[in-house]
Amino acid sequence: MYRWEITRAALAQRVFAIVRKESYDQAAAAADTLLSAGLTTIEISLTTPFALEAVTTLVREVGDDAIIGAGTVLDGASARMAVDAGARFLASPGLDEEVIRTGHRYGVPVFPGVSTPTEVVRALELGADALRLFPASGCAPGWIRDVRADLPQAALLPAGGISVDTAPEWIAAGAAACGMGSVLTEGDRDIVVKRVTDLLVRLEEAASGDRPEV
């Protein structure tokens, strides 16, 4: 797949799960629950022990049925290791040129972190495939609307502090997709399945007015 195809697939449901756990087993269990609930994009944070092994295992198990990426990719070295592990996209809390360059060298889309319009412009200049607004907890959904009024070409992905109730507001404001963490996996498997199913419907409805192209 080309980078733009991976990006479209990764953001198609308008939500991606961020898995950040204290062990490999916890991360694998959380990812399995989310996949069984129908979520198709999962990001394994490199802060998780043996995160790269988790990425490799998940990629092998899901094939083309889901998009597995690596998060908290801070430098070129970790970007290359994540690519070698099979990550289909790279995400970062900050903007690092070498992470973008490394991902693109091997055909992997990169979603760097931004928090100001200046960083949005810089990330676009560097060729970022989508831009993670992080931490979104410090902003309101209107931030997306205001920034995209001047920069409509920016595909923005708020993450950090996004809840099931607020995610539709961010999508309605023009976000391409929302990154959500442990809030998605609280409860047993049946509860998670219902939560994810309901969330996907709400995000689809919220996007009916205006969704940025990627």
Side-chain angles (χ1 to χ4, degrees), residues 147-173:
V147 169
R148 293 196 67 247
D150 278 350
L151 300 168
Q153 71 274 32
L156 295 164
L157 317 175
I162 305 294
S163 70
V164 172
D165 290 331
T166 61
E169 298 175 13
W170 287 95
I171 297 300

Side-chain angles (χ1 to χ4, degrees), residues 49-86:
F50 301 102
L52 295 177
E53 288 83 347
V55 169
T56 299
T57 299
L58 285 168
V59 169
R60 182 174 62 248
E61 291 178 348
V62 304
D64 293 328
D65 293 334
I67 305 295
I68 308 299
T72 323
V73 181
L74 302 181
D75 50 39
S78 56
R80 176 58 193 270
M81 289 190 292
V83 169
D84 288 345

Side-chain angles (χ1 to χ4, degrees), residues 122-211:
R122 180 57 178 155
L124 292 172
E125 291 173 343
L126 292 173
D129 302 276
L131 315 176
R132 173 175 299 206
L133 170 59
F134 183 83
S137 57
C139 304
W143 190 95
I144 298 277
R145 186 179 294 108
D146 292 343
V147 169
R148 293 196 67 247
D150 278 350
L151 300 168
Q153 71 274 32
L156 295 164
L157 317 175
I162 305 294
S163 70
V164 172
D165 290 331
T166 61
E169 298 175 13
W170 287 95
I171 297 300
C178 293
M180 301 175 67
S182 59
V183 65
L184 288 176
T185 55
E186 294 175 352
D188 61 28
R189 189 174 294 259
D190 290 340
I191 291 175
V192 173
V193 170
K194 184 179 186 304
R195 179 184 298 123
V196 170
T197 300
D198 291 345
L199 176 62
L200 293 177
V201 171
R202 294 177 63 188
L203 295 182
E204 179 69 27
E205 293 172 348
S208 60
D210 176 30
R211 183 184 178 221

Side-chain angles (χ1 to χ4, degrees), residues 106-129:
Y106 299 103
V108 175
V110 182
F111 310 149
V114 298
S115 59
T116 67
T118 298
E119 290 179 342
V120 170
V121 172
R122 180 57 178 155
L124 292 172
E125 291 173 343
L126 292 173
D129 302 276

